Amino acid sequence: MTNLKFLLIFFSIILNSNLKPKKLLSVKENIATYFPPLKGKDWETISPSSLGWDNDEIKNLNSYLETKNTKAFIVLKDGKIVIEKYFGDFNQDKKWYWASAGKTFTAFLVGIAQSDGLLNINNKTSDYLGKGWSSASIDKENKITIKNQLTMTTGFDDNLPNNYCTLPSCLIYKADAGTRWAYHTGAYTILDKVIEKVSGLNFNDYANEKVCDKIGMKGFWIKKQDANNVFFSDARSMARFGLLLLNKGRWVNETILKDDKYFAQQINSSQNINPSYGYLTWLNGKSNYILPTIQKVFPGSLISNAPTDLYAALGKNDQKIYVIPSQNLVVIRMGNSAGNSHASLSSFDNELWGKLKTMMKY
């Protein structure tokens, strides 16, 4: 009888507690998130006023974006469009370059290749491309792994006239792999060759088969000879990719990136030198950060006005994909430079989030 009373009390505590199984939470989150159809222009919307957002501040935001050479701006809440604004002669169908925001897309594709068993990011790059893909000695080249390319820690000299060059003569040893963080586009771009080698597909076909066709993205990569690979798409396609990131690589009932551990690593600090950088992805809310071309550690968070859990794909001339899991938000911006051009982060990021903070009242 004593045991029976104990069991009744135990189950009463469990049933009346606020604790819920993690699986139930994840199911609710998936149900709450809307995904647009793969084809057509239908995309559900939600009014800013229903979210308690300030309509006057939205008008101020639109005026600000226009003065900052913006072409397209989209905000998604729970997958639904809250704000979609185009400027000048730009419209829903026009395509624009992602610049270095495409790096995050590449990292996602590397994760798919690993989950498909085509590569292992802990293996050295020369396992896939052979010796001599750089100008470093064989000993130093063999220290460089796929993970080093994903984390910008190859050790190559980034202070070059052409940081985009992928020729061996442009990939020059400066430090052992893993000991120095430097934003080197040429070294990152070599990942395209790795994916082509292991998959037997050209990079465009691989991206289309593994991601674009599955989530309704309309875009293409343009490879400059012996240089970087740039992705172009319309603004809604950029927003679709942001929604895919928000949902940890899942789209409706399909898991696009099956390696949960890899995705978690992509959006968390990938090394100790620059904690604000994951796998080709920028991270907010860390203790310090390093910027491209500047070998200096800056204290504090990457974007102080933004939520601390924000992670982002950032490109030259202020191409932006911001993802904020705590608020189930995706924010994208396409356009020309907002005025203070940098390879990724610029003063525009914090200015913009200051206005979004006021508008959303968080």
Side-chain angles (χ1 to χ4, degrees):
M1 185 64 71
T2 304
N3 289 338
L4 179 59
K5 285 182 179 179
F6 174 79
L7 287 173
L8 288 172
I9 293 170
F10 174 77
F11 283 115
S12 175
I13 293 170
I14 293 296
L15 289 171
N16 288 293
S17 73
N18 291 322
L19 294 174
K20 293 181 177 64
K22 289 185 178 180
K23 284 190 175 180
L24 289 180
L25 283 173
S26 65
V27 169
K28 288 183 178 180
E29 288 169 1
N30 288 337
I31 291 173
T33 301
Y34 164 82
F35 296 89
L38 295 185
K39 296 182 180 180
K41 295 187 177 182
D42 291 340
W43 195 317
E44 285 190 23
T45 62
I46 184 171
S47 68
S49 58
S50 70
L51 300 172
W53 294 4
D54 191 317
N55 284 318
D56 289 334
E57 290 300 330
I58 291 175
K59 292 176 183 177
N60 292 336
L61 173 66
N62 288 336
S63 298
Y64 168 78
L65 290 170
E66 188 168 22
T67 64
K68 292 296 182 178
N69 303 315
T70 304
K71 291 184 177 292
F73 186 78
I74 297 176
V75 179
L76 305 181
K77 171 68 173 176
D78 301 330
K80 298 177 181 179
I81 293 175
V82 190
I83 297 173
E84 182 176 26
K85 183 74 174 175
Y86 299 96
F87 300 87
D89 62 354
F90 203 77
N91 59 48
Q92 196 178 106
D93 298 316
K94 288 195 174 182
K95 292 178 171 57
W96 193 250
Y97 63 91
W98 288 26
S100 286
K103 287 181 169 69
T104 305
F105 189 6
T106 298
F108 193 88
L109 292 171
V110 170
I112 292 174
Q114 176 167 269
S115 68
D116 287 346
L118 299 179
L119 58 79
N120 185 318
I121 65 169
N122 295 307
N123 290 346
K124 58 184 182 290
T125 305
S126 56
D127 284 348
Y128 306 103
L129 298 182
K131 299 176 182 179
W133 60 273
S134 75
S135 65
S137 67
I138 297 301
D139 177 57
K140 299 300 184 183
E141 186 179 86
N142 280 339
K143 293 180 182 295
I144 301 169
T145 65
I146 300 296
K147 187 174 181 178
N148 291 134
Q149 291 176 272
L150 289 168
T151 60
M152 294 291 183
T153 59
T154 58
F156 290 134
D157 189 356
D158 59 312
N159 186 21
L160 302 170
N162 182 3
N163 190 268
Y164 304 124
C165 177
T166 58
L167 293 172
S169 59
C170 297
L171 304 176
I172 304 167
Y173 173 85
K174 187 175 181 70
D176 282 359
T179 65
R180 180 177 185 267
W181 190 91
Y183 197 79
H184 195 289
T185 297
Y188 131 81
T189 305
I190 298 294
L191 289 171
D192 302 355
K193 293 182 180 179
V194 173
I195 287 178
E196 290 182 335
K197 184 74 172 179
V198 299
S199 70
L201 299 173
N202 71 49
F203 199 62
N204 259 308
D205 289 344
Y206 190 81
N208 289 336
E209 179 184 312
K210 296 298 182 178
V211 176
C212 297
D213 294 346
K214 294 186 176 185
I215 71 170
M217 282 176 67
K218 299 176 182 177
F220 50 85
W221 294 87
I222 294 182
K223 179 77 167 67
K224 298 178 182 178
Q225 186 174 3
D226 301 324
N228 55 320
N229 208 1
V230 181
F231 192 68
F232 288 74
S233 82
D234 57 82
R236 282 192 170 191
S237 289
M238 195 182 223
R240 283 175 183 268
F241 183 67
L243 186 56
L244 180 65
L245 293 177
L246 177 66
N247 285 279
K248 302 179 181 179
R250 296 172 177 83
W251 191 267
V252 193
N253 295 319
E254 183 175 5
T255 302
I256 308 298
L257 174 54
K258 299 178 178 65
D259 190 338
D260 290 339
K261 182 179 178 181
Y262 178 92
F263 184 80
Q265 291 170 334
Q266 180 171 349
I267 60 170
N268 281 285
S269 301
S270 59
Q271 26 66 51
N272 296 324
I273 308 169
N274 185 1
S276 296
Y277 205 70
Y279 290 169
L280 302 174
T281 304
W282 290 94
L283 315 173
N284 201 36
K286 306 304 178 183
S287 59
N288 57 69
Y289 59 93
I290 301 174
L291 294 177
T293 73
I294 305 172
Q295 284 297 310
K296 177 183 176 182
V297 177
F298 294 89
S301 189
L302 199 67
I303 308 171
S304 60
N305 282 326
T308 56
D309 65 327
L310 173 149
Y311 53 90
L314 304 177
K316 185 178 180 180
N317 295 330
D318 297 306
Q319 319 311 320
K320 315 287 186 184
I321 304 176
Y322 304 108
V323 179
I324 308 91
S326 61
Q327 299 186 29
N328 222 25
L329 281 174
V330 173
V331 179
I332 73 107
R333 187 267 186 189
M334 285 179 162
N336 290 313
S337 170
N340 189 10
S341 181
H342 289 284
S344 55
L345 189 79
S346 74
S347 59
F348 173 73
D349 293 272
N350 209 42
E351 286 178 10
L352 174 61
W353 274 100
K355 296 186 180 298
L356 290 173
K357 185 176 182 179
T358 302
M359 180 192 77
M360 296 178 187
K361 301 177 182 178
Y362 69 82

